[in-house]
Amino acid sequence: MVSRAAITNVRVQADRLWSSMMRLAEIGATARGGVCRLALTDLDRVARDQFLSWVRELGCEISIDTIGNIVARRPGADPARLPVMTGSHLDTQPTGGKFDGVYGVMAGLEVMRTLNDKGIRTAAPLELVVWTNEEGTRFSPIMMGSGVFTGQLSLDDMLKKQDRDGVSVQSALAAIGYDGKRNPGHPVGAYFEAHIEQGPILENEGISIGVVTGAMGQRWYDIEVIGLESHAGTTPMDSRRDALLAASRLTVRVNEIALEKGGNTRSTVGYMDVHPNSRNSIPGRVHLTVEFRGPEENMLAAMEQELNQACDRYSEPGKLDFSIRRVADIKPQPFFPPLVDVVRNAAQELSYTHMEILSGAGHDAVYMAKAGPAAMIFVPCKDGLSHNELEDAKKEDLEAGTNVLLRSMLCAAEMLE
Ligand code: GLV
Ligand code: MN
Ligand code: MN
């Protein structure tokens, strides 16, 4: 049993947390100060290997499951208790930063290091997890490892997913040696995830801790527009079947859909692949992605209807074909109120300024919340910028979020039967 005094007095080491984060930022560092470390690439392997060497030093038991999630377990005094888990992801966007994902993993590592330093044994075991492919950039969908862990995504289907070069998740896992043996998924008593906010609210309000009450839902689509490639000089303007022109009209419309709907909805076209991409051929085929986000399921359904109508309109029957495939459908997800209270109380007791906040980003905590109690802790990031090489955060905010994580985990590890 951890004493009340230990929970009250123990604090993390900000410099050690920062230096571990900066070590990981070297793996896939870009010239503009960011990180490119796509899921299941060799760089992802190097980051995972570094993580393993750190948790081995702490004496953790390590397991790797068949979708490549790594779980490092710090045993508790009472093996009958369910683990209190924390973690996040080490993969990044192509022009990603040093903080998205890495912070949650390094905050969890710093919690375990602090407890080891102080010789604190919790009643419940603690687990630190690195989820596979949270970003959904190289392999879609997003939050793959936690989706499989919680039974929301099928392992077999996910192992077959391919990147744009036709490499499957299964073969990428094997290529980096992270095709583990354990079956994904085990009961978890409480899951906490620390993350930078990735938006401007906390910074604008001058507040250190976001007590996250839930996350928006998202729907992702792959759209193929088929026209006809033909000569740019000889094909009259009124008889062209220009797939890029139709895709561009759709892009404008997608932007309008969230603007018109309001209510904190978002709509984005983030990827376009144009065929044959030659300046004097009319584009015959375009692959584009659309994603919608919003706090309510009915908003997402209405946005999808608008998307279908727009595709019908721009297909100009007989001229162009649109095929629409929904590739992710994640419902809006509230976090577990008693655990949200644990986070709020921890921030309060530590005298950090705090406010409730809703996440517009996807996080592994969202899938964890569908399967059991989960909550999140946000800290501010500079200019609200994320998914950008210039992503930045202050050491003292990262420290505050990690102290809140430490205290929340200690509370949960003592409370849970
Ligand atoms: C996660 O990176 C997201 O796109 O929300
Ligand atoms: Mn993230
Ligand atoms: Mn991200």
Side-chain angles (χ1 to χ4, degrees):
M1 188 78 175
V2 178
S3 71
R4 191 70 214 160
I7 294 183
T8 306
N9 297 329
V10 67
R11 297 286 186 281
V12 302
Q13 285 186 33
D15 288 340
R16 180 170 60 186
L17 169 68
W18 183 264
S19 85
S20 302
M21 295 191 63
M22 293 309 114
R23 161 65 195 127
L24 282 179
E26 291 167 6
I27 306 167
T30 63
R32 292 186 70 226
V35 180
C36 175
R37 194 168 57 231
L38 300 188
L40 309 184
T41 55
D42 206 48
L43 289 169
D44 189 7
R45 177 189 64 73
V46 176
R48 286 162 171 261
D49 289 354
Q50 173 65 80
F51 171 81
L52 282 187
S53 90
W54 282 331
V55 285
R56 281 200 181 106
E57 279 168 22
L58 293 179
C60 291
E61 297 158 8
I62 290 155
S63 63
I64 302 173
D65 68 23
T66 47
I67 195 72
N69 298 318
I70 309 171
V71 176
R73 182 178 169 100
R74 184 177 188 271
D78 179 357
R81 296 205 190 201
L82 291 177
V84 173
M85 184 186 256
T86 191
S88 197
H89 58 99
L90 297 179
D91 64 318
T92 76
Q93 290 285 313
T95 54
K98 304 184 185 83
F99 300 88
D100 177 1
V102 168
Y103 172 50
V105 180
M106 292 301 97
L109 182 70
E110 180 54 35
V111 165
M112 288 197 174
R113 284 173 166 167
T114 303
L115 295 177
N116 272 24
D117 290 349
K118 304 279 182 222
I120 293 174
R121 187 139 189 237
T122 52
L126 303 185
E127 292 185 339
L128 174 54
V129 58
V130 174
W131 299 112
T132 292
N133 183 35
E134 190 275 348
E135 293 289 1
T137 294
R138 179 177 175 203
F139 300 101
S140 184
I142 188 174
M143 294 143 47
M144 185 178 274
S146 51
V148 171
F149 185 91
T150 54
Q152 308 281 321
L153 299 174
S154 136
L155 172 67
D156 289 345
D157 288 353
M158 294 305 117
L159 289 174
K160 286 187 207 126
K161 294 284 176 188
Q162 294 184 351
D163 68 9
R164 286 170 193 144
D165 297 323
V167 178
S168 70
V169 167
Q170 180 145 41
S171 58
L173 278 167
I176 65 164
Y178 277 88
D179 49 342
K181 298 286 170 281
R182 185 173 178 172
N183 285 333
H186 58 264
V188 170
Y191 177 80
F192 296 98
E193 184 168 343
H195 208 283
I196 57 166
E197 181 204 333
Q198 307 185 273
I201 297 170
L202 294 175
E203 188 181 59
N204 287 347
E205 299 288 330
I207 282 183
S208 316
I209 299 293
V211 178
V212 190
T213 53
M216 291 191 193
Q218 350 187 352
R219 293 193 188 192
W220 286 18
Y221 308 86
D222 272 351
I223 300 187
E224 199 80 26
V225 187
I226 310 285
L228 184 70
E229 45 279 27
S230 55
H231 198 290
T234 57
T235 315
M237 295 307 284
D238 61 358
S239 56
R240 295 172 175 222
R241 296 165 62 190
D242 186 335
L244 179 57
L245 184 61
S248 306
R249 288 185 169 132
L250 184 66
T251 304
V252 172
R253 180 63 200 140
V254 164
N255 182 252
E256 288 166 356
I257 289 174
L259 285 173
E260 286 167 12
K261 184 134 240 48
N264 248 343
T265 57
R266 327 257 189 250
S267 53
T268 307
V269 172
Y271 171 89
M272 211 179 260
D273 181 27
V274 181
H275 177 84
N277 225 7
S278 162
R279 72 173 72 212
N280 51 349
S281 287
I282 293 161
R285 195 172 69 235
V286 173
H287 171 207
L288 70 153
T289 62
V290 171
E291 63 142 272
F292 293 137
R293 305 198 188 203
E296 287 166 31
E297 185 61 6
N298 61 8
M299 294 173 164
L300 297 168
M303 292 167 92
E304 181 172 293
Q305 212 175 1
E306 296 277 357
L307 177 69
N308 287 329
Q309 282 168 2
C311 290
D312 282 350
R313 192 168 336 125
Y314 302 131
S315 68
E316 299 177 58
K319 274 178 104 174
L320 296 138
D321 274 332
F322 280 70
S323 84
I324 311 175
R325 211 156 48 89
R326 199 205 282 157
V327 292
D329 180 7
I330 301 162
K331 309 271 181 271
Q333 182 63 50
F335 289 132
F336 187 57
L339 274 204
V340 176
D341 288 344
V342 167
V343 170
R344 185 185 297 101
N345 291 341
Q348 182 77 37
E349 287 163 9
L350 289 160
S351 303
Y352 294 132
T353 52
H354 57 91
M355 65 180 281
E356 289 194 350
I357 191 165
L358 179 73
S359 176
H363 296 289
D364 296 299
V366 171
Y367 275 138
M368 289 303 281
K370 293 182 192 298
M376 287 192 79
I377 301 156
F378 277 179
V379 296
C381 57
K382 188 168 186 297
D383 301 327
L385 198 59
S386 185
H387 287 194
N388 187 303
E389 290 160 285
L390 302 181
E391 186 180 82
D392 200 3
K394 288 194 195 130
K395 197 198 278 185
E396 55 270 29
D397 288 330
L398 301 170
E399 176 187 16
T402 310
N403 276 324
V404 172
L405 177 68
L406 168 63
R407 202 177 182 93
S408 302
M409 290 183 76
L410 283 178
C411 286
E414 298 313 310
M415 275 165 20
L416 298 168
E417 287 304 324

